[in-house]
Amino acid sequence: MTRANSHSTAPRSVGEHRAVIADLMPARRVGILPLRDCVGLVLADDVSADVDLPPFDNSAMDGYAVRAEDVAGAGEQPVVLPVTADIPAGRTDVPALQPGTAHRIMTGAPMPSGADTVVKVEDTDAGTENVTIHAAPPVGTSVRRAGEDIRKDALALTAGTRLGPAQLALAAAIGRGELPVWLPPKVLVVATGSELVVPPAPLQHGQIYESNSVYLATALESLGCQVDVLRAVADDVDTFLQALRSRAADVDLVVTSGGVSAGAYEVVKDALTARGVEFTKVAMQPGGPQGCGRIDATPIVTLPGNPVSVAVSFEVFLRPALLGLLGHQQTERQRVRARLLEPLTAPAGKRQFRRGYHEWDEGSVTGTVGPRGGPGSHLLAAFSQANCLIDIPEDTTELAEGDLVDVLLLT
Ligand code: AMP
Ligand code: MG
């Protein structure tokens, strides 16, 4: 295995840098948010039902509330009953049902006391004065019982649950307007580079369209983070510092891209080295040059500039740390073993994350993976067709077709 030469400090392992980034994250905070702001976030406390669900016995069908014994013969000989009340959904003053009568009732309307069964309208002549009934449903048919979904005071949602539409609908159904969640951090994304142009402005020769902030902002937002973006900040230390200073105090975390490698005009490195941010090499490809620290009190993670380096760095370092901060129990991507469809080479001494396309094999627990694009960290189009990262250990330099490799599923 090749290591960095003795003149430079040994690179950090991926695992070491992951731990540093995780430690840097701001403290977890609980807040109470309206239901619609909770989607994708994690519940911070157990929630019990404030009411029975359903809150009262009600009809599961449009039809007639009756006593089952009054319609017991209707299978052979139609039974005619007088209709003595009309109960639409929402009626709150429902009169009791007298024996030998029927109440017309709609789905979701409260069952009258004295009734034990609903005959659905399709089994009747739909009469409003008198109703002719052709079926003899057993006791309890088409009645939804109070509390049969969940009982008052029972545990409805457990702390640690990721709140999707179904969980939020349940919260509303048991009477909640807001929930305690692990609050999403506010993140400032800063894309540096004097060559960057914000689309769709025209490009001059030597310029490229800025894409890293789009990757980072949307990746962060998909975790639930609130994101602010400074796009295309010039490679000028004063400009960069001024932009950063004016915004960093308002956020919980800053993420930059570009300007951290070994060349000249490395704006992030030049601006922040003297301010206590640590720049290191991580033994990985892509995404070797990394940095992190604090600007004033705000944590800052400085990613390299190449688009695929940004994506891999986000996946490997930021995503698990942020998911932890957001209260998720599962912070890692699903890792599977897959059969490689093509031979691959990898650099010694670096953990390589190649982009790939994984497919499950029918009847196999592994599946296959084919690389998408070469190792170049600028190959964004190939990355856009990938659905996984192939995780190649530091000491592996060659892989043959058919070898089993570790794959991190991105979907
Ligand atoms: P740097 O780390 O600043 O030297 O950038 C490395 C490479 O990534 C260069 O080819 C940059 O042009 C490119 N790059 C840097 N930032 C961005 C960005 N925000 N969007 C697209 N490409 C970028
Ligand atoms: Mg740059």
Side-chain angles (χ1 to χ4, degrees):
M1 191 193 311
T2 316
R3 280 278 173 197
N5 68 44
S6 55
H7 299 297
S8 55
T9 42
R12 236 181 223 168
S13 72
V14 167
E16 285 164 349
H17 196 61
R18 273 167 63 100
V20 172
I21 297 290
D23 278 354
L24 187 68
M25 290 296 114
R28 294 205 303 187
R29 277 182 301 136
V30 175
I32 310 277
L33 294 184
L35 296 188
R36 283 178 55 190
D37 292 340
C38 293
V39 69
L41 300 180
V42 175
L43 189 65
D45 276 322
D46 288 346
V47 171
S48 50
D50 297 333
V51 291
D52 277 339
L53 195 61
F56 49 87
D57 291 353
N58 68 92
S59 177
M61 302 293 277
D62 296 329
Y64 294 83
V66 297
R67 297 193 315 160
E69 65 190 74
D70 290 343
V71 299
E76 294 91 55
Q77 182 78 43
V79 169
V80 179
L81 297 176
V83 178
T84 48
D86 200 28
I87 318 172
R91 184 163 175 186
T92 53
D93 60 338
V94 175
L97 182 91
Q98 301 309 317
T101 70
H103 284 1
R104 192 166 79 134
I105 192 166
M106 301 303 147
T107 304
M111 285 294 285
S113 64
D116 56 23
T117 303
V118 171
V119 183
K120 60 179 189 290
V121 68
E122 292 85 345
D123 291 335
T124 73
D125 68 350
T128 52
E129 301 284 315
N130 292 292
V131 61
T132 304
I133 292 173
H134 302 283
V139 176
T141 299
S142 297
V143 179
R144 306 191 287 211
R145 294 280 168 214
E148 76 176 20
D149 195 2
I150 188 165
R151 289 236 163 260
K152 183 176 188 307
D153 298 327
L155 183 63
L157 293 165
T158 314
T161 300
R162 183 180 189 277
L163 297 167
Q167 293 72 33
L168 293 169
L170 174 62
I174 59 172
R176 299 290 173 122
E178 46 194 27
L179 286 174
V181 290
W182 294 108
L183 286 177
K186 283 196 203 117
V187 185
L188 174 66
V189 170
V190 186
T192 70
S194 293
E195 74 280 30
L196 303 176
V197 171
V198 175
L203 285 183
Q204 291 179 28
H205 185 70
Q207 298 181 320
I208 61 167
Y209 285 124
E210 195 284 308
S211 62
N212 288 344
S213 75
V214 174
Y215 182 88
L216 287 170
T218 54
L220 289 159
E221 279 165 349
S222 73
L223 303 185
C225 299
Q226 291 170 13
V227 184
D228 252 350
V229 173
L230 290 174
R231 248 179 133 173
V233 176
D235 289 325
D236 173 77
V237 166
D238 290 337
T239 311
F240 171 71
L241 274 179
Q242 211 175 357
L244 198 58
R245 279 263 152 78
S246 66
R247 306 288 282 278
D250 303 330
V251 296
D252 303 301
L253 172 69
V254 177
V255 180
T256 66
S257 85
V260 297
S261 41
Y265 312 106
E266 303 290 7
V267 67
V268 176
K269 205 176 195 177
D270 294 347
L272 301 182
T273 299
R275 289 177 167 77
V277 174
E278 182 192 23
F279 293 91
T280 37
K281 270 214 167 317
V282 176
M284 78 177 212
Q285 188 193 62
Q290 296 285 342
C292 63
R294 286 177 196 278
I295 175 89
D296 301 326
T298 309
I300 182 166
V301 175
T302 66
L303 305 179
N306 274 302
V308 180
S309 307
V310 165
V312 170
S313 305
F314 177 84
E315 275 296 324
V316 173
F317 302 123
L318 275 171
R319 185 178 181 276
L322 286 166
L323 287 177
L325 174 61
L326 283 156
H328 290 265
Q329 283 147 5
Q330 177 58 42
T331 60
E332 300 301 329
R333 292 289 196 187
Q334 191 186 357
R335 181 178 285 271
V336 297
R337 299 280 280 169
R339 249 179 330 103
L340 196 56
L341 293 174
E342 289 173 29
L344 282 181
T345 59
K350 284 184 184 171
R351 185 154 160 198
Q352 197 187 38
F353 293 94
R354 287 288 290 269
R355 283 65 66 199
Y357 194 83
H358 174 266
E359 281 180 295
W360 295 104
D361 274 348
E362 222 171 291
S364 144
V365 288
T366 55
T368 60
V369 63
R372 288 292 178 274
S377 53
H378 58 299
L379 301 174
L380 197 50
F383 178 55
S384 77
Q385 296 181 357
N387 67 0
C388 69
L389 296 175
I390 308 170
D391 183 356
I392 306 174
E394 284 189 24
D395 51 4
T396 300
T397 54
E398 290 199 26
L399 287 160
E401 184 188 333
D403 279 355
L404 281 177
V405 289
D406 261 19
V407 159
L408 299 170
L409 300 183
L410 298 179
T411 47

